Amino acid sequence: DIQLTQSPSTLSASVGDRVTITCRASQSVSSWLAWYQQKPGKAPKLLIYEASRLESGVPSRFSGSGSGTEFTLTISSLQPDDFATYYCQQYSSFPLTFGGGTKAEIK
Amino acid sequence: QVQLVQSGAEVREPGASVKVSCKASGYTFSTYGITWMRQAPGHGLEWMGWISTYNGDIKYAQNFQGRVIMTTDTSTSTAYVELGRLRSDDTAVYFCARSLGPGSYVGYWGQGTLVTVSS
């Protein structure tokens, strides 16, 4: 199975900060990587697919980059609605796997 | 609008089975498959498998082989996941989600169904 390691596991930031979350894969997943946002008690929401493609309706302050084994999710200016947990997911090979999550907290 | 509405919370004893439903609306059911995932309390997400709503093709995660059955009812646009021989570590929120294929990201999600396994 492909392991996805996210860092940091928790980040403390202020509104307006630029935030970057990293996802490292144990082997290459090409560009078959997605990012999701999850708020407590809710289902995850798709933000990014194919490493860098923004899902329709997602604010442009979210962006994704990377390929192979190293990926980043960047929020250019953190907004109050962005305090949540973020997960990466690889869909390059079975079983599909998720990272352990990064919780964005208010500083 | 696209909606996936799941059945309500369930409580089962160890060794029993549970069946969760996921009713789709707002799109043509047979044009997207259904992926099932789960999330144990305070933990991350685990992919369980995928079923085609077009021809019934199935891809199960190895971890669930022999214990899980995924089905669909195209007449009601509903997908089902049944998990048997339940253990306490099967306690989780179970999610259905719409996806193009077995090896695909997921777009629209159901609201989740809490399954509690306890004696």
Side-chain angles (χ1 to χ4, degrees):
Chain A
D1 298 4
I2 295 177
Q3 310 300 319
L4 297 180
T5 303
Q6 287 183 232
S7 59
S9 54
T10 307
L11 66 89
S12 295
S14 301
V15 173
D17 284 353
R18 181 182 181 88
V19 165
T20 298
I21 298 168
T22 298
C23 176
R24 290 189 172 87
S26 59
Q27 63 191 75
S28 176
V29 300
S30 186
S31 294
W32 305 121
L33 188 109
W35 290 95
Y36 301 87
Q37 176 194 67
Q38 187 177 34
K39 295 182 179 178
K42 300 292 187 182
K45 172 188 173 184
L46 176 66
L47 300 175
I48 302 281
Y49 62 96
E50 279 182 47
S52 61
R53 294 182 181 271
L54 193 68
E55 171 70 351
S56 175
V58 174
S60 60
R61 62 181 180 272
F62 291 93
S63 64
S65 65
S67 66
T69 62
E70 188 145 342
F71 302 85
T72 58
L73 172 70
T74 299
I75 309 172
S76 60
S77 177
L78 200 66
Q79 298 302 300
D81 191 48
D82 301 338
F83 291 97
T85 300
Y86 295 85
Y87 293 96
C88 57
Q89 180 210 19
Q90 67 81 18
Y91 49 101
S92 172
S93 66
F94 296 107
L96 308 192
T97 51
F98 291 84
T102 295
K103 186 175 182 180
E105 298 180 330
I106 300 173
K107 195 172 192 178
Chain B
Q1 73 282 20
V2 174
Q3 276 195 303
L4 298 172
V5 178
Q6 298 183 223
S7 48
E10 304 271 12
V11 179
R12 293 286 186 273
E13 293 189 345
S17 63
V18 68
K19 191 171 186 176
V20 175
S21 68
C22 170
K23 183 171 176 59
S25 62
Y27 70 99
T28 301
F29 186 62
S30 59
T31 57
Y32 290 86
I34 295 290
T35 291
W36 288 94
M37 293 157 288
R38 72 179 186 180
Q39 186 171 36
H43 287 75
L45 293 150
E46 183 176 21
W47 183 81
M48 299 178 67
W50 173 90
I51 182 166
S52 167
T53 55
Y54 176 70
N55 60 12
D57 280 354
I58 291 175
K59 184 73 175 178
Y60 292 142
Q62 188 80 11
N63 284 353
F64 297 95
Q65 287 275 5
R67 279 209 303 147
V68 68
I69 300 172
M70 294 179 186
T71 56
T72 63
D73 181 344
T74 54
S75 69
T76 60
S77 298
T78 303
Y80 300 89
V81 64
E82 184 171 13
L83 188 62
R85 301 197 301 276
L86 290 168
R87 308 181 296 248
S88 57
D89 63 358
D90 290 317
T91 295
V93 176
Y94 288 74
F95 292 103
C96 65
R98 190 181 86 165
S99 59
L100 274 174
S104 176
Y105 58 90
V106 292
Y108 290 92
W109 295 64
Q111 83 276 20
T113 296
L114 176 62
V115 174
T116 302
V117 182
S118 173
S119 54

